[in-house]
Amino acid sequence: CLDSNGKVHEFSSNWRTEDCHDCSCHRDGIECCSSFVTPVGYDKQKCVKIFNKETCTYKVVEKYDSSKECPVHGWVG
């Protein structure tokens, strides 16, 4: 399989892209999906979501004090 960056992958192989998508190579092509969930149920006026590319996760913190995490009531992914 040839990915969008021009890299060749063997059949039945799996990898994670730089933008946190898990991909696999099959005889009929490449299949990819996001490896993370996105927070949707939080106070968007008081809080912000921050994405960590190292861990492929989101954290939701207060806008003016990032040491305080905000409660999240819904995730999609």
Side-chain angles (χ1 to χ4, degrees), residues 6-23:
K7 184 174 179 184
V8 176
H9 299 272
E10 293 184 18
F11 290 128
S12 302
S13 64
N14 300 298
W15 67 96
R16 180 167 282 176
T17 66
E18 288 182 13
D19 59 348
C20 296
H21 285 81
D22 290 330
C23 299

Side-chain angles (χ1 to χ4, degrees), residues 17-61:
T17 66
E18 288 182 13
D19 59 348
C20 296
H21 285 81
D22 290 330
C23 299
S24 57
C25 171
H26 306 281
R27 294 209 178 269
D28 56 349
I30 293 176
E31 184 176 297
C32 296
C33 63
S34 65
S35 63
F36 55 90
V37 291
T38 303
V40 292
Y42 64 94
D43 184 344
K44 292 183 175 135
Q45 295 202 348
K46 180 181 175 185
C47 307
V48 310
K49 62 183 177 183
I50 300 171
F51 189 69
N52 182 331
K53 281 186 97 169
E54 297 293 317
T55 61
C56 296
T57 58
Y58 275 103
K59 185 177 183 179
V60 180
V61 296

